[in-house]
Amino acid sequence: MKQRLSLLIMLLALLLIAVPVSAQQVSTAEAYQTTGQFIVNKAPNPSFGDEWFIIALARGEYNVSKDYYDKYYDNVVKHVQSVKGELHKRKYTEYSRLIIALTAIGKDPTNVGGYNIVEKLSDFDNVVWQGPNGAYFALIALDTWGFELPKTATTTREKLIQHILAKQLPDGGWNLTGVKADPDMTAMAIQALSTYKDRADVKASINKALDTLENLQGANGSYQSWGTTNLESVAQIITALASLNIDANKDQRFNKLFESFFTFYNAKDGGFKHVLAESVANGMATEQASYTLVAYNRLLAGKTKLYDTSDKKPNSNPSTPAQPNQPTVSPAKVSFTDTQSHWAKAEIEAAVAKGLLKGYEDNTFKPNNNLTRVQAVSILVRALHLTSSGNAPFTDIDSYKEETKQEIAAAYDANLLVEKSNKFSPSSSISREELAVMLANAFTHKTGKPYIPKNIAPLNDIAKLTKNSQQAITFLYDFDIAQGSNGLFNPTNFITRAHAAKMYVNFLKVIEE
């Protein structure tokens, strides 16, 4: 009898060891804190390739050091510049992943060290080359901040959605290859489609996929992928449910998911294991578990879903510090004492309303004052949301505030400026020709392609200008940004604030269409 009792005690002890007590006690909030620390320890100096770590930390609002995301961004810029914007020749999820991470920390992926990462998704064939996951993450990336691709792009949201729907297997799931549903790929498809869940075709597809996931589920809420019971499959499904505003703990179909999820939790190091047989946490499993916890905790808190990073998108253009002869009042004021009968009244008010130009403290706009070169740059940089982590190579801008020097650097990095000397002459008035070239360069930066006109504009005073200037002025002419007067463009004339208002407003109409 004693032997039987001893054997029973030993069996109970083994069972208690097999089921981690910490997994039964830890909450999703507590588990996130330990995974956050695990990630920071693993990536103290984050760089390109650590995007999922960054997404997990930023979306969960983990308390990192003040310069943590700055270090990551600086390292990313260096990498992007070192590869000249080409992250990978074939794997376009590299671009999508980086877009998601950058928007998660409030950084604009349309200008990363002078390279537009978003527009890399323009080629549909390249995006979907590596399989349906290419379409999943391209759609997620575009939806983070509601990015729009150029009109010339072959990728569209609708094509991505239809591609994903077309790849759904007869059993209701998705797989990278093969004819049977894989839980990971099925859950990721749901995450990509979740933004469009109210569309009839998408709704039907998602409901079919949820039925499939319910049927693939093990008795204790576990899932297998490639024949292996693992953490990541469970994590992706919890994330997918959260993207649909479904609480896994409260849904009868999936209320055992967290039971399975936490069996992989490793209390000793605060991370998660890939499979139960592992004795220490697995880095990839922990990063997926971490952002799953974020997705779930954000659902409980009523916040935007994991990949909806619109809460991190800047709500307004950064302000430009006042410089000599530069306006100082808020752009909210759109009625000025000296513009009531001015020919550009409507354009001035539109420009001020958009925050491109400002009035003066005495309630005037001074429409006939000349625009300086630094003001022209500041306006365009704000309009395009350009940033820079470097410095422009000009020796005559040291007296300006750091914010303004960064704006000049951003314009320089984006190739908006064509300066050939080490002087920028920031306080000099800008000519009509110079602003035309700057706007044409901005169009190239924004669209990824220069505007090459079929014919040069029929203006009688531009024939002796450089080919670059002629094409830039023709760009303004063809797009009705500036038409000139009486057959002349007057390229050497200085731009007045009134003319600048009209040209900037018209330019924005072109690039925002």
Side-chain angles (χ1 to χ4, degrees), residues 227-267:
T228 301
T229 300
N230 66 94
L231 174 280
E232 291 91 325
S233 294
V234 181
Q236 289 295 343
I237 293 164
I238 294 172
T239 303
L241 294 173
S243 73
L244 298 172
N245 293 322
I246 296 174
D247 185 336
N249 268 333
K250 295 181 179 180
D251 190 293
Q252 291 187 349
R253 298 169 295 176
F254 300 104
N255 59 11
K256 291 183 178 180
L257 286 179
F258 273 110
E259 176 186 334
S260 175
F261 181 82
F262 275 113
T263 61
F264 296 90
Y265 182 68
N266 194 53

Side-chain angles (χ1 to χ4, degrees), residues 79-357:
H79 177 76
V80 170
Q81 291 178 331
S82 71
V83 297
K84 297 182 179 180
E86 186 176 41
L87 302 181
H88 200 281
K89 292 183 181 297
R90 301 298 283 170
K91 289 175 59 180
Y92 273 57
T93 49
E94 299 284 292
Y95 299 105
S96 298
R97 186 184 71 230
L98 182 56
I99 292 167
I100 299 168
L102 290 176
T103 60
I105 60 173
K107 297 293 186 181
D108 185 0
T110 65
N111 180 25
V112 183
Y115 293 93
N116 189 330
I117 302 303
V118 175
E119 288 188 358
K120 293 292 186 178
L121 302 179
S122 295
D123 190 311
F124 182 76
D125 290 339
N126 286 338
V127 166
V128 302
W129 173 84
Q130 67 189 101
N133 55 328
Y136 301 163
F137 286 105
L139 187 59
I140 288 171
L142 291 176
D143 286 342
T144 53
W145 281 6
F147 293 108
E148 295 294 340
L149 294 172
K151 290 182 178 180
T152 55
T154 55
T155 301
T156 66
R157 279 179 172 78
E158 188 59 31
K159 283 181 70 172
L160 291 170
I161 293 169
Q162 292 303 326
H163 183 82
I164 295 170
L165 294 179
K167 292 294 181 179
Q168 190 167 22
L169 300 168
D171 65 4
W174 282 264
N175 204 333
L176 191 60
T177 59
V179 295
K180 291 186 177 180
D182 175 77
D184 296 51
M185 293 294 288
T186 302
M188 285 188 271
I190 292 173
Q191 292 167 43
L193 293 171
S194 63
T195 301
Y196 310 91
K197 63 182 180 179
D198 294 328
R199 278 180 44 161
D201 55 347
V202 173
K203 185 176 183 180
S205 176
I206 289 175
N207 287 338
K208 188 177 180 181
L210 291 175
D211 290 341
T212 299
L213 290 175
E214 182 183 9
N215 294 331
L216 289 174
Q217 189 176 184
N220 67 337
S222 64
Y223 281 89
Q224 288 190 354
S225 182
W226 299 91
T228 301
T229 300
N230 66 94
L231 174 280
E232 291 91 325
S233 294
V234 181
Q236 289 295 343
I237 293 164
I238 294 172
T239 303
L241 294 173
S243 73
L244 298 172
N245 293 322
I246 296 174
D247 185 336
N249 268 333
K250 295 181 179 180
D251 190 293
Q252 291 187 349
R253 298 169 295 176
F254 300 104
N255 59 11
K256 291 183 178 180
L257 286 179
F258 273 110
E259 176 186 334
S260 175
F261 181 82
F262 275 113
T263 61
F264 296 90
Y265 182 68
N266 194 53
K268 288 183 179 180
D269 52 24
F272 280 75
K273 297 179 285 186
H274 166 59
V275 294
L276 292 175
E278 292 178 330
S279 59
V280 296
N282 176 284
M284 185 175 293
T286 301
E287 74 180 19
Q288 291 197 34
S290 187
Y291 67 69
T292 290
L293 292 165
V294 170
Y296 184 71
N297 290 337
R298 291 184 72 86
L299 171 67
L300 297 185
K303 297 179 179 180
T304 58
K305 62 184 178 179
L306 175 66
Y307 296 129
D308 177 2
T309 58
S310 59
D311 55 314
K312 290 296 182 179
K313 185 176 182 180
N315 293 322
S316 60
N317 297 331
S319 60
T320 300
Q323 300 293 340
N325 302 317
Q326 195 164 348
T328 57
V329 300
S330 168
K333 188 73 176 178
V334 296
S335 180
F336 305 103
T337 57
D338 56 350
T339 62
Q340 295 307 306
S341 59
H342 197 278
W343 64 267
K345 180 177 184 293
E347 289 84 357
I348 290 169
E349 292 180 352
V352 173
K354 287 178 176 289
L356 301 175
L357 290 147

Side-chain angles (χ1 to χ4, degrees), residues 431-450:
S431 72
R432 291 170 59 81
E433 178 186 0
E434 289 171 330
L435 185 56
V437 172
M438 192 183 297
L439 291 175
N441 289 343
F443 177 83
T444 299
H445 174 79
K446 186 69 176 177
T447 63
K449 294 182 179 180

